[in-house]
Amino acid sequence: DTNALSWLRAPAQTDMAMFYTLTEYYIRGSGSNPILDGLWEAQIKLDEVSAALEVVGPDCQSSEAVQNLTRTVNATQVPLRIANDLWSADHVYPYYRAAVHEDACKTLISGVGWLVACQLLIGLCCLPALTGMVDKFFTRWVRWHNGPARQGLVEVGRSSWS
């Protein structure tokens, strides 16, 4: 967790500052979440509008407009609650734990181990064997290329022993 935060650390005046603040909020559980703060401010404003509509609504001559506005304000309450739940630390941290702690720390380490083992096997066993086979092939090929059959001294298909 400390490594992830130190890797993401950015000066306060850059665009990454909000990203770092979010990361610190979700990893350490400290600080504030700018997204949740924005959702909270929107919720407060909607509550103020709703309260104002309740006060002003009976005095308005056009009750249909007030009802439409009240329905609209009430319709935004559910998406705000859903977004608040989705951005909460209780919802996001399990994904971080699964991605970083379980996948990166366990799967990545074992994957690198297998990669090193395969590289050693190939580098120490297979490549020397391949070098030997290539040397043997080219030795035979040069001998055949420079041999009497290739130069037309012996008929191809006839054995020199007959």
Side-chain angles (χ1 to χ4, degrees), residues 47-153:
D47 290 343
E48 290 174 2
V49 169
S50 182
L53 286 174
E54 288 176 11
V55 170
V56 176
D59 295 336
C60 282
Q61 294 175 357
S62 174
S63 63
E64 184 180 329
V66 173
Q67 288 175 354
N68 285 339
L69 194 54
T70 303
R71 277 195 299 264
T72 303
V73 168
N74 290 337
T76 58
Q77 298 289 339
V78 173
L80 274 176
R81 270 188 243 115
I82 291 171
N84 203 1
D85 291 341
L86 286 175
W87 285 100
S88 70
D90 295 335
H91 185 78
V92 174
Y93 186 75
Y95 292 109
Y96 167 78
R97 187 180 64 240
V100 174
H101 287 277
E102 293 172 11
D103 289 342
C105 294
K106 293 177 185 172
T107 307
L108 184 68
I109 300 299
S110 65
V112 169
W114 277 107
L115 179 67
V116 168
C118 289
Q119 290 290 324
L120 283 172
L121 175 71
I122 291 170
L124 295 177
C125 298
C126 297
L127 289 178
L130 179 65
T131 304
M133 288 187 280
V134 168
D135 180 55
K136 190 174 183 180
F137 168 78
F138 279 123
T139 302
R140 288 181 179 174
W141 184 80
V142 167
R143 200 176 306 142
W144 172 82
H145 189 68
N146 294 333
R150 182 79 173 134
Q151 295 174 1
L153 300 176

